[in-house]
Every structure is written in structure tokens, then in C-alpha cells.
Amino acid sequence: AKIIEIAKRLSLQATKGGAGGERLCEKHQEALKLFCEEDQTPICLVCRESQAHRVHAVVPIEEAAEEHKEKFQAHVQILKDRREKLLGLKTAEEGKSL
């Protein structure tokens, strides 16, 4: 659920940034170039120096996006494997009931 929430938030912010333009910080109107690991949100360079994020772990947004993409892909693969297993069990049980 947390991963989906992050994806929705990133998608919403991408939409707000407009087509072709960089996404901007609502507070400072600066480009969102960093990702706060603790708050799980994109931030600008000014936010990074603020009290709210100064002590938080921060990574470049591209790096965070790639990391989250890999996590999503791993979760999708696990779900696909579970689905195939369940479909196999369902088919086996249907065969037994016949």
C-alpha cells in the first residue's frame, strides 16, 4: 500500500509539472531534484537545507526512481508467480471435484 501511495504521489506531481517541464516544489518553485528517504517524497535543494529535511537521508531523484522501479518489478514478479501457483491449484481442485 505504501509503494502504491508513493507511485500515485509521484505520478500526481509529474502531472502537475506539465508536459515537458520539470516538476517544481510547490513551496519554493524550484526543480524537484532530490528524494527524501525518510518522508518518501521528492524535494528541492532549498527544502534539503530546511529544518524539515536537514537530518534526513536524501538521494538524487533519478536514483530513487530507479530503486523504486526495481522494487515494483520485483513485487510484480512475486505476484505473478503467486497467481500462477493459485491458478494451478484451482485447476487441480476443479479436476478433483469432477
Side-chain angles (χ1 to χ4, degrees), residues 11 23 28 34 38 63 70 72 75 82:
S11 174
R23 296 183 319 251
H28 303 107
L34 302 170
E38 190 163 324
E63 185 179 316
E70 290 170 6
F72 287 141
H75 286 291
R82 285 183 184 171

Side-chain angles (χ1 to χ4, degrees), residues 2-97:
K2 181 114 175 133
I3 291 173
I4 292 170
E5 180 185 328
I6 293 167
K8 285 180 181 177
R9 199 175 332 144
L10 289 174
S11 174
L12 179 63
Q13 288 174 350
T15 303
K16 287 181 181 178
E22 283 189 318
R23 296 183 319 251
L24 299 177
C25 173
E26 292 179 11
K27 191 173 184 179
H28 303 107
Q29 299 305 308
E30 296 285 330
L32 297 170
K33 295 187 178 216
L34 302 170
F35 187 79
C36 177
E37 293 285 350
E38 190 163 324
D39 293 332
Q40 295 289 295
T41 185
I43 61 172
C44 71
L45 294 171
V46 177
C47 287
R48 171 68 175 122
E49 296 305 317
S50 71
Q51 286 290 107
H53 300 280
R54 188 174 296 155
V55 296
H56 295 173
V58 174
V59 295
I61 200 161
E62 294 84 9
E63 185 179 316
E66 187 62 33
E67 185 179 318
H68 284 282
K69 181 180 175 183
E70 290 170 6
K71 286 180 184 178
F72 287 141
Q73 289 173 339
H75 286 291
V76 166
Q77 187 59 47
I78 289 168
L79 291 173
K80 282 182 180 178
D81 293 343
R82 285 183 184 171
R83 181 177 184 264
E84 286 180 30
K85 183 178 177 181
L86 289 172
L87 288 174
L89 291 172
K90 177 185 173 195
T91 302
E93 289 301 317
E94 286 174 347
K96 286 179 185 178
S97 69

